[in-house]
Amino acid sequence: NAGVMQNPRHLVRRRGQEARLRCSPMKGHSHVYWYRQLPEEGLKFMVYLQKENIIDESGMPKERFSAEFPKEGPSILRIQQVVRGDSAAYFCASSPQGLPNTGELFFGEGSRLTVL
Amino acid sequence: TQLLEQSPQFLSIQEGENLTVYCNSSSVFSSLQWYRQEPGEGPVLLVTVVTGGEVKKLKRLTFQFGDARKDSSLHITAAQPGDTGLYLCAGSRGTSYGKLTFGQGTILTVHP
């Protein structure tokens, strides 16, 4: 499967625990984006990363959320001390290096976080 | 502030009917995409439009980008039950390649 791979697909956490969501971009893609889809709301941009660099994190909550895309391995979205409001579907998308300005993204199937 | 307004939010029609979904904004976008999302899955790109006034066709789907690049429409001819799903428009501005602004989506249900 050469698509964007996300895991876990479903994650249940209790309030105060940590959630780690992983994303492997499509082969040959070096740009990764994280989006969040809250119930009854549209997709909202969170963060844009390239290998070892955070390019734009303007959509990330200021506290408890962090993201990384190391030189080796998947991109990780980390949520510390989760609260019920963090319950959502988190989608990762990727694009190839040198993409022209068309904003075409390839999305993974998402990780659905439920906070009890 | 919702920068991309989609309408209608819900659409329920019979097989064979035509429909149009609208995506409107007061802002100019350098490109606009339409995605389709099935329950439990991620959005799948249908089309990208980049030129004002551009029209693209994908089988029974026709996409149009407004002349001023502030709005777009998706028209489906002779809808089929397989067209059922969530349709999302998303705009890209300036050089923010993958930083898309999404509309809230239109849930389409096509009854046999």
Side-chain angles (χ1 to χ4, degrees):
Chain A
N1 186 344
V4 177
M5 303 299 294
Q6 288 189 249
N7 70 82
R9 291 293 308 278
H10 300 274
L11 183 63
V12 179
R13 286 287 179 264
R14 297 190 179 278
R15 281 179 295 170
Q17 292 184 319
E18 178 179 288
R20 283 193 180 216
L21 310 177
R22 295 173 187 77
C23 169
S24 295
M26 283 182 70
K27 187 176 181 180
H29 288 192
S30 59
H31 300 224
V32 165
Y33 312 81
W34 286 93
Y35 282 78
R36 177 165 66 173
Q37 190 172 37
L38 291 166
E40 309 302 324
E41 292 189 20
L43 285 147
K44 296 283 194 281
F45 168 82
M46 298 182 74
V47 62
Y48 164 35
L49 310 104
Q50 295 179 21
K51 287 282 188 181
E52 299 184 282
N53 281 305
I54 297 175
I55 307 303
D56 183 339
E57 57 181 346
S58 58
M60 287 277 272
K62 293 290 184 281
E63 298 177 347
R64 302 187 297 107
F65 285 72
S66 62
E68 62 176 6
F69 190 15
K71 187 177 181 180
E72 300 291 337
S75 174
I76 295 175
L77 179 67
R78 181 184 179 199
I79 311 172
Q80 295 178 289
Q81 299 175 324
V82 295
V83 300
R84 288 210 173 114
D86 296 333
S87 295
Y90 292 84
F91 289 95
C92 172
S94 71
S95 64
Q97 192 173 15
L99 184 72
N101 188 20
T102 59
E104 296 185 46
L105 302 181
F106 297 86
F107 282 85
E109 294 186 318
S111 292
R112 280 148 187 84
L113 172 66
T114 301
V115 179
L116 302 178
Chain B
T1 302
Q2 184 67 26
L3 294 180
L4 270 175
E5 296 284 347
Q6 263 187 260
S7 62
Q9 195 172 348
F10 301 95
L11 195 52
S12 181
I13 61 172
Q14 293 297 126
E15 182 176 0
E17 293 184 4
N18 302 331
L19 67 109
T20 303
V21 178
Y22 299 94
C23 182
N24 295 299
S25 175
S26 57
S27 303
V28 175
F29 289 94
S30 54
S31 68
L32 199 139
Q33 298 81 44
W34 285 90
Y35 290 83
R36 179 176 163 183
Q37 186 178 15
E38 301 289 344
E41 298 183 6
V44 176
L45 179 68
L46 295 174
V47 77
T48 299
V49 285
V50 296
T51 305
E54 183 175 4
V55 177
K56 281 192 174 179
K57 294 195 174 186
L58 184 65
K59 297 183 180 178
R60 293 177 293 101
L61 279 61
T62 302
F63 305 85
Q64 186 163 7
F65 201 12
D67 290 341
R69 291 186 290 134
K70 293 182 178 180
D71 55 85
S72 181
S73 64
L74 158 61
H75 182 79
I76 301 179
T77 304
Q80 300 176 359
D83 295 327
T84 294
L86 173 65
Y87 290 83
L88 297 160
C89 65
S92 174
R93 301 172 70 184
T95 57
S96 300
Y97 299 100
K99 184 178 178 180
L100 299 177
T101 299
F102 278 85
Q104 287 187 304
T106 295
I107 298 175
L108 171 65
T109 304
V110 182
H111 301 279

